Amino acid sequence: MFLKAERVNILGITVDAYSMQETVEQIRQAVEGQVPIRVVTANPEMIYASDRDQRLKKLINSAEVVTADGIGVVWAARRLGTPIRERVTGIDLIQAVFPVAATRKWRLFFLGGNPGVAELAANQVVSKHPGIVWDTGNGYFSSEEEPQVLEKIRRFQPDILLVGLGAPRQEYWIAEHPGLAYVSVGVGGSFDALAGVVIRAPKRIQELHVEWLYRLWKEPRRWQRQSVLPRFVLKVLWQRLRRQTP
Ligand code: UDP
């Protein structure tokens, strides 16, 4: 039933060469066909980490859809011989899903972020896309509180579960709780951006593919995380070289 994309192996992670529109189409088919899928938007940090973490690698590779989250992954795919047309980040993906969800009156559950942030995000979304039915939960619950969170989600019966607990925790959480929605997707800090708690880089900066630089400037503590990028690049070049050497 699913349109199969070409896949590219990047440091052992198989990334689907889907465009944004094709990814949204996968999500539409999953909801309408009632076939549950997990969507991982794989960024360089995650791919790099999974190179040393077999459990994480298995988890990502077992997702039905793995998209190229970031220009670093798009670059790697091209280097490795399977071009991917564009990046499909968590925030951009859900923004592309909202209009489809609104016309079809899908049920969306926003889980994650500080108390109040998911509500703020959902309110913003629904004011622009009326028709979406929604509920929320904050991302700071203890293991004792988790059964209540799960109960709230089950009662709501979402078509799509957006999980913003940060990577890779959200990916583990989704895999550990199957059957909550037709589509479960890890969205990192997207609710903060939707709620306006964190301001995204101006459009022009996004188009120049240097949003990561903007985030670094705004949140210098990300330096540690982004220092993975040059190491990711080197590993990809090494992978390419090894493939070419007979
Ligand atoms: N978060 C959460 N519960 C936690 C830890 C983090 O809900 O226990 C949220 C946090 O509030 C933020 C998001 O997860 O909204 C992580 O954002 P970040 O930008 O670090 O993630 P990324 O998009 O890089 O995966």
Side-chain angles (χ1 to χ4, degrees), residues 43 72 86 134 138 173 189 194 197 212 226 234:
N43 62 25
E86 58 194 342
W134 59 275
N138 82 69
W173 197 89
L194 291 172
V197 175
W212 59 275
Q226 293 196 343
L234 283 178

Side-chain angles (χ1 to χ4, degrees), residues 23-206:
T23 312
V24 174
E25 181 55 19
Q26 297 304 302
I27 290 175
R28 189 191 63 75
Q29 287 187 23
V31 173
E32 294 189 342
Q34 306 191 343
V35 182
I37 62 169
R38 280 188 289 131
V39 180
V40 174
T41 70
N43 62 25
E45 292 114 279
M46 241 155 111
I47 296 178
Y48 186 83
S50 72
D51 197 37
R52 291 150 178 229
D53 182 341
Q54 290 307 312
R55 196 169 147 239
L56 181 59
K57 182 177 287 182
K58 248 180 142 166
L59 181 82
I60 301 175
N61 282 339
S62 63
E64 283 72 15
V65 176
V66 180
T67 73
D69 183 339
I71 200 63
V73 183
V74 172
W75 168 85
R78 193 174 314 129
R79 281 273 140 175
L80 296 167
T82 307
I84 295 181
R85 208 171 316 145
E86 58 194 342
R87 60 186 191 143
V88 179
T89 68
I91 176 88
D92 292 331
L93 176 60
I94 59 177
Q95 305 251 43
V97 165
F98 293 144
V100 182
T103 52
R104 289 170 169 78
K105 307 221 170 352
W106 285 346
R107 304 172 70 78
L108 268 54
F109 196 100
F110 297 67
L111 177 69
N114 280 308
V117 171
E119 277 97 330
L120 215 58
N123 271 310
Q124 289 291 339
V125 169
V126 176
S127 68
K128 287 189 205 123
H129 306 284
I132 292 174
V133 184
W134 59 275
D135 201 353
T136 64
N138 82 69
Y140 293 85
F141 48 87
S142 62
S143 47
E144 289 77 39
E145 291 163 333
E146 190 174 82
Q148 285 151 264
V149 175
L150 288 167
E151 182 51 29
K152 190 176 185 195
I153 301 171
R154 286 204 184 95
R155 245 184 301 123
F156 180 70
Q157 297 190 325
D159 293 305
I160 302 182
L161 176 59
L162 307 171
V163 184
L165 300 176
R169 183 174 161 219
Q170 61 200 16
E171 277 69 30
Y172 282 113
W173 197 89
I174 288 171
E176 281 159 14
H177 302 97
L180 293 173
Y182 297 125
V183 176
S184 299
V185 51
V187 298
S190 297
F191 303 152
D192 298 323
L194 291 172
V197 175
V198 169
I199 310 289
R200 268 193 99 181
K203 261 261 152 342
R204 184 86 192 101
I205 291 183
Q206 289 180 36

